[in-house]
């Protein structure tokens, strides 16, 4: 029997799930619609059946050691999802308990960025590291902070919201209700908004002028930058400046050896990483300069969320 | 034999030292001039003799279990003081090793705010707490962050510099070389500078106009506020706003249950704490609101630094 962990990544649109062995190899994976299920009990029943179906689909016999779940507003201490704005289930949802009733194995729940951080530590670029940070630049901006070899959960299970640190006082309105959060600049939507501002303000010719705002993605901006587009390059410079300034503050809190960057915006590689590093260094206290490495995540793009969620179990069992 | 820890607090002006029992009772304490000794070996020899003198001075027989030291730029991992701008000993000073050669007991070194945080946990208001923050508002602004029951030291031993997080982009010039650091607003000097700015800008009558800038202290500002002085009240409001905004970001990183505030500026009590709380709450994400308590330190004013330094040893031995 091959020991495996189940990884479940719950997003507002899709729930991805898979079974993963101790070495981080996904033996099987699949996904289903999250908002299709208004009733949480029905959702858990459907996902549980789908997992058993995956187990049956692989050639080897497997033994499920636990279930790791990454979910928005996931609380590690209580195993609950609490008031997640992008999910249909309102209030406090005892998700870990509900899955435990189906599988009778340990269930560990936290937010997706924390799960990614543990994934980075188990399977990615952070192997053997005790003090590092994981930043996810996707639809939103998330973070997982590892200190002394463990995640920072805070007293309530909700620590590590780098996306909602103030980057620009009285800046862009954030979905959280605050203004100027890192997320409003360094998320996919933030980058697109910066492009739109630059397009309005600049006379420069740019291919990005010919893409409908709703259809513009970080990938378009990356491709334009690769083709020498001045608006695209300026957008990465501006985004890297704000991100780098905020990371300099993060270093003053945590002094990580590495900052791993993951997600749609991070796929632009050096276009975003180079200005981020430059502005971070510029804003660091002397004692921190030239020490902290800002690097792309070592997790695979395709199933990082499932790997990260499953890694929660191996970390817990270690 | 009563087991005791030696606590040493090294400041730019004075070195305070004492012998402290397991319950946080200082059996004896004293101080000497730090800058008097240009040679570090001479300094360590003098302090060591002074400690032995203290040991001889108490009625009971004591057994020294270890030496805890709080010092600027103190590195927990290496036991060294590194490039401390306010001390005469330049470069990297192997202070823990030097004291160990005199006493042959464990020597633990970290910065003074980290030592204060451990003191708060052992003897003050943070007993039994696993996730809290300590903020010291003195000549400078320092911090010690406890998560999962342990201090955040970072990969290099220098984490936890809340005083050098950017509070105001392109704001006041800091001694660290950066601009707008929390320390430039929330330290004793920052508060005094704010009073001076308000005095210049406002027509309000104020007793604070009649104190020479170099002689103005947080105590004067506190006393003026108690007497209804509008400049003093406005200075605390302004300082609390900047401090509270920055603490809101700190909560997004660490989500502590409590933030303990210590030092000269904190002695103004509710004059500084009330606006700090108000602006912190205003800038918190909804998920963190009305959870985090901002409270005065529970350590005694007079020998908190010695208690904190000695607590490092009990924490280490636990």
């Amino acid at each position: 029997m091959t020991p495996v962990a189940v990884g479940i990544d719950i997003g507002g649109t899709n729930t991805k799930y898979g079974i993963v062995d101790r070495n981080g190899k996904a033996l099987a994976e699949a996904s289903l619609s999250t908002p299709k299920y208004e009733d949480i009990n029905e959702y858990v029943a459907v996902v549980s059946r789908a997992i058993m179906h995956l187990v049956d689909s692989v050639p080897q016999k497997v033994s499920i050691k636990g279930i790791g779940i990454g979910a928005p507003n996931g609380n590690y201490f209580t195993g609950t999802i609490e008031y997640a704005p992008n999910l249909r289930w309102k209030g406090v949802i005892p998700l870990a308990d509900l899955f435990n009733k189906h599988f009778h194995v340990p269930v560990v729940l936290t937010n997706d960025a924390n799960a990614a951080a543990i994934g980075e530590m188990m399977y990615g670029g952070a192997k053997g590291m005790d003090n590092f940070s994981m930043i996810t630049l996707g639809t939103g901006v998330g973070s997982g902070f590892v200190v002394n070899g463990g995640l920072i959960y805070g007293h309530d299970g909700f620590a590590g919201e780098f996306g909602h640190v103030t980057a620009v006082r009285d800046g862009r309105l954030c979905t959280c209700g605050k203004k100027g959060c890192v997320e409003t600049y360094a998320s996919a939507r933030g980058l697109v908004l910066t492009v739109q501002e630059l397009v309005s303000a600049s006379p420069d010719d740019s291919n990005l002028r010919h893409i409908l705002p709703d259809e513009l993605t970080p990938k378009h901006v990356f491709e334009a930058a690769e083709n020498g587009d001045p608006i695209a390059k300026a957008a990465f410079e501006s985004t890297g400046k704000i991100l780098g300034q905020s990371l300099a503050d993060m270093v003053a809190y945590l002094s990580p050896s590495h900052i791993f960057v993951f997600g749609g915006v991070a796929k632009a590689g050096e276009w975003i990483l180079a200005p981020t590093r430059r502005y971070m260094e510029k804003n660091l206290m002397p004692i921190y300069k030239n020490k902290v490495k800002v690097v792309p995540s070592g997790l695979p793009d395709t199933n990082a969320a499932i790997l990260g969620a499953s890694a929660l179990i191996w970390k817990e069992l270690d």
Side-chain angles (χ1 to χ4, degrees), chain A:
Chain A
M1 299 258 276
T2 307
V4 296
V6 172
I8 305 177
D9 177 65
I10 303 178
T13 310
N14 291 308
T15 296
K16 298 174 189 167
Y17 53 97
I19 49 180
V20 183
D21 73 11
R22 190 67 185 76
N23 301 317
K25 190 183 166 204
L27 305 180
E29 54 189 275
S31 74
L32 50 77
S33 162
T34 308
K36 186 173 170 189
Y37 305 96
E38 190 177 353
D39 180 73
I40 184 64
N41 292 300
E42 187 193 355
Y43 170 82
V44 171
V46 168
V47 174
S48 298
R49 277 199 303 275
I51 289 165
M52 290 317 296
H53 184 73
L54 274 194
V55 166
D56 292 340
S57 75
V58 298
Q60 62 270 63
K61 286 262 184 202
V62 302
S63 155
I64 295 177
K65 294 299 174 191
I67 300 174
I69 307 174
N73 290 28
N75 188 323
Y76 173 78
F77 293 131
T78 58
T80 55
I81 295 178
E82 305 187 16
Y83 308 99
N86 298 325
L87 299 179
R88 289 183 74 176
W89 317 305
K90 298 307 168 200
V92 178
I93 304 296
L95 198 71
D97 279 353
L98 292 173
F99 273 107
N100 178 268
K101 279 182 189 145
H102 280 264
F103 288 92
H104 307 288
V105 294
V107 182
V108 178
L109 171 71
T110 187
N111 73 50
D112 47 346
N114 281 342
I118 299 297
E120 198 74 46
M121 187 156 54
M122 302 286 292
Y123 311 131
K127 281 174 194 157
M129 290 183 189
D130 281 339
N131 290 278
F132 72 91
S133 299
M134 180 91 188
I135 305 291
T136 61
L137 309 177
T139 311
V141 169
S143 60
F145 299 129
V146 171
V147 302
N148 304 328
L151 269 174
I152 302 184
Y153 288 113
H155 85 286
D156 59 352
F158 292 121
E161 287 289 354
F162 176 70
H164 299 282
V165 163
T166 303
V168 178
R169 190 68 55 199
D170 296 318
R172 293 177 182 168
L173 186 63
C174 184
T175 51
C176 79
K178 289 176 57 189
K179 281 185 175 174
C181 293
V182 171
E183 177 165 306
T184 65
Y185 297 89
S187 65
R189 191 176 143 275
L191 176 66
V192 165
L193 203 53
T194 300
V195 167
Q196 288 164 359
E197 286 176 2
L198 290 167
V199 161
S200 303
S202 152
D204 288 341
D205 190 31
S206 169
N207 276 336
L208 299 173
R209 291 184 188 280
H210 312 303
I211 303 173
L212 287 173
D214 278 1
E215 292 172 4
L216 192 61
T217 67
K219 190 156 180 267
H220 291 121
V221 190
F222 167 66
E223 285 164 357
E226 291 274 297
N227 289 322
D229 188 295
I231 297 275
K233 292 201 279 187
F236 283 123
E237 177 78 10
S238 169
T239 304
K241 179 178 181 180
I242 290 174
L243 182 58
Q245 286 173 341
S246 294
L247 288 180
D249 284 339
M250 190 250 266
V251 171
Y253 283 101
L254 305 175
S255 195
S257 64
H258 292 69
I259 299 170
F260 293 92
V261 189
F262 183 80
V265 176
K267 283 188 205 165
E270 288 303 305
W271 287 109
I272 182 66
L273 294 180
T276 299
R277 281 189 205 107
R278 187 159 19 93
Y279 284 101
M280 183 185 85
E281 288 293 339
K282 196 177 163 186
N283 286 277
L284 286 175
M285 277 178 81
I287 207 167
Y288 299 126
K289 279 186 194 286
N290 302 312
K291 278 183 177 177
V292 186
K293 290 173 189 64
V294 180
V295 293
S297 166
L299 290 175
D301 257 9
T302 45
N303 58 4
I306 291 171
L307 291 189
S310 71
L312 292 169
I313 290 300
W314 303 125
K315 169 83 174 159
E316 202 79 5
L317 296 178
D318 271 357

